[in-house]
Amino acid sequence: MKAMILAAGLGTRLRPLTDDRPKALVEVGGRTLLEITLSRLRAFGIREVIVNVHHFADMVVDYLRTNENFGMRIEVSREEVLLDTGGGLRKAAWFFLEDSSRLDEPFILHNVDVISTIDLARMVQFHREHKALSTLAVQERETSRYLLFDEQGRLCGRRAGSDAPLRGWTLRPGSGQAGESPVPTRASQALAFSGIHVISPRIVSMMPEEGAFSIITSYLRLAALPENILAFRADEYYWRDLGRPENVAQAEQDLKNKVFS
């Protein structure tokens, strides 16, 4: 199984920690976020990873070389212009399509600036059993942006945290055309996305978007076809976004308290 780590962002919210380094090399407990993420993936059995880079890109490349890629096959996808999550995956798609005998094998897409104990094995099993196009780790917690899921756990919209509860906007069912005017829809639950996906490689041929774009935009379009974009409930697991210095400090404390390892 393969994985991609999204590490190209500017880390603006993490300043001043990212004034002289990329967010992937910010440390928690003496270990970089990149090392922590790679270790999680390696513990799950993944040995092939592609990492997208932009901000202080050469520092990431040198870091991986110095650490001998942590005993893994690691490719680097350089972005001269930031491509966001969808554009970044599209640029790196060759990595998941290079072996024609593995085109049915899902891969993991993981933000570098999240730490969690989410059970990746259970998540992949769920993805396979439900024949999903993409499976998103979600939790019931406060966030500024929610994804909306129907009673079957299928993605059907999104909303900002200040919007009315359980009301979202999605494409007209059956259309799935980029740019289609949205219509309001009801959803059973608004959940917070955790920055971890399991994705089937066939999604690449279903993403006509070009340049920089969010993968969530593609998901909403595909969900309206409808394609199986599913929620994996991860409420029982530890999870922390490390997008701000105070969150890094809290993660340090969590580590000391052995909330995660």
Side-chain angles (χ1 to χ4, degrees), residues 147-151 153-158 168-171 183-189 219-220 223-224 229:
L147 295 180
L148 305 176
F149 296 87
D150 66 17
E151 291 81 357
R154 296 175 300 197
L155 179 68
C156 59
R158 62 178 165 185
W169 294 87
T170 187
L171 297 177
V183 294
T185 182
R186 280 287 177 183
S188 60
Q189 195 155 25
Y219 285 161
L220 290 168
I229 314 293

Side-chain angles (χ1 to χ4, degrees), residues 2 10 28 44 56 88 93 101 104 111 115 129 143 152 161 166 174 199 210 214 216 221 232 238:
K2 295 182 177 183
L10 298 176
V28 172
F44 174 59
F56 291 115
S101 67
D104 292 329
N111 289 4
I115 289 179
E129 288 177 352
T143 184
Q152 286 74 47
L166 302 184
I199 304 174
E210 297 181 355
S214 168
I216 299 299
R221 177 180 55 78
F232 175 80
Y238 173 86

Side-chain angles (χ1 to χ4, degrees):
M1 196 170 180
K2 295 182 177 183
M4 179 174 184
I5 298 176
L6 296 171
L10 298 176
T12 305
R13 295 182 302 148
L14 269 171
R15 290 175 179 164
L17 298 179
T18 50
D19 284 344
D20 60 354
R21 71 190 66 190
K23 63 181 177 181
L25 299 187
V26 170
E27 295 186 356
V28 172
R31 302 170 68 205
T32 67
L33 299 185
L34 182 55
E35 180 192 351
I36 291 170
T37 306
L38 287 170
S39 295
R40 281 266 294 139
L41 295 172
R42 190 172 60 243
F44 174 59
I46 290 176
R47 294 293 183 273
E48 298 178 88
V49 179
I50 189 164
V51 182
N52 70 338
V53 296
H54 172 77
H55 186 54
F56 291 115
D58 289 338
M59 289 184 67
V60 177
V61 173
D62 291 344
Y63 173 78
L64 290 170
R65 183 184 301 116
T66 298
N67 288 279
E68 298 181 335
N69 288 342
F70 295 92
M72 306 167 76
R73 175 199 172 192
I74 299 181
E75 301 287 346
V76 171
S77 178
R78 287 180 177 264
E79 297 180 11
E80 299 305 318
V81 176
L82 280 173
L83 296 174
D84 206 338
T85 51
L89 173 58
R90 187 173 173 83
K91 185 177 190 297
W94 65 268
F95 182 71
F96 304 105
L97 304 176
E98 62 182 351
D99 186 345
S100 59
S101 67
R102 300 171 67 180
L103 296 183
D104 292 329
E105 181 180 277
F107 62 89
I108 292 173
L109 185 64
H110 198 300
N111 289 4
V112 77
D113 55 357
V114 300
I115 289 179
S116 83
T117 61
I118 293 173
D119 189 331
L120 299 178
R122 278 189 59 198
M123 193 171 169
V124 170
Q125 181 181 5
F126 176 92
H127 178 88
R128 293 183 190 275
E129 288 177 352
H130 292 83
K131 297 179 172 59
L133 180 63
S134 184
T135 299
L136 312 181
V138 294
Q139 296 175 320
E140 189 170 359
R141 54 178 167 78
E142 289 188 7
T143 184
S144 59
R145 291 173 294 181
Y146 290 94
L147 295 180
L148 305 176
F149 296 87
D150 66 17
E151 291 81 357
Q152 286 74 47
R154 296 175 300 197
L155 179 68
C156 59
R158 62 178 165 185
R159 70 172 174 86
S162 59
D163 288 348
L166 302 184
R167 193 168 186 81
W169 294 87
T170 187
L171 297 177
R172 289 187 177 89
S175 65
Q177 298 299 312
E180 180 80 27
S181 299
V183 294
T185 182
R186 280 287 177 183
S188 60
Q189 195 155 25
L191 298 167
F193 178 45
S194 298
I196 302 172
H197 330 222
V198 178
I199 304 174
S200 296
R202 61 190 177 89
I203 198 173
V204 175
S205 63
M206 305 168 74
M207 296 169 65
E209 296 89 348
E210 297 181 355
F213 64 95
S214 168
I215 196 169
I216 299 299
T217 301
S218 297
Y219 285 161
L220 290 168
R221 177 180 55 78
L222 291 167
L225 287 176
E227 287 288 341
N228 238 8
I229 314 293
L230 301 182
F232 175 80
R233 294 298 297 265
D235 305 282
E236 65 192 273
Y237 302 104
Y238 173 86
W239 178 91
R240 187 168 296 283
D241 167 37
L242 301 179
R244 299 182 185 278
E246 58 267 29
N247 296 349
V248 174
Q250 184 59 57
E252 291 265 12
Q253 191 60 47
D254 293 342
L255 183 60
K256 289 179 182 178
N257 294 335
K258 298 184 179 180
V259 177
F260 71 95
S261 58

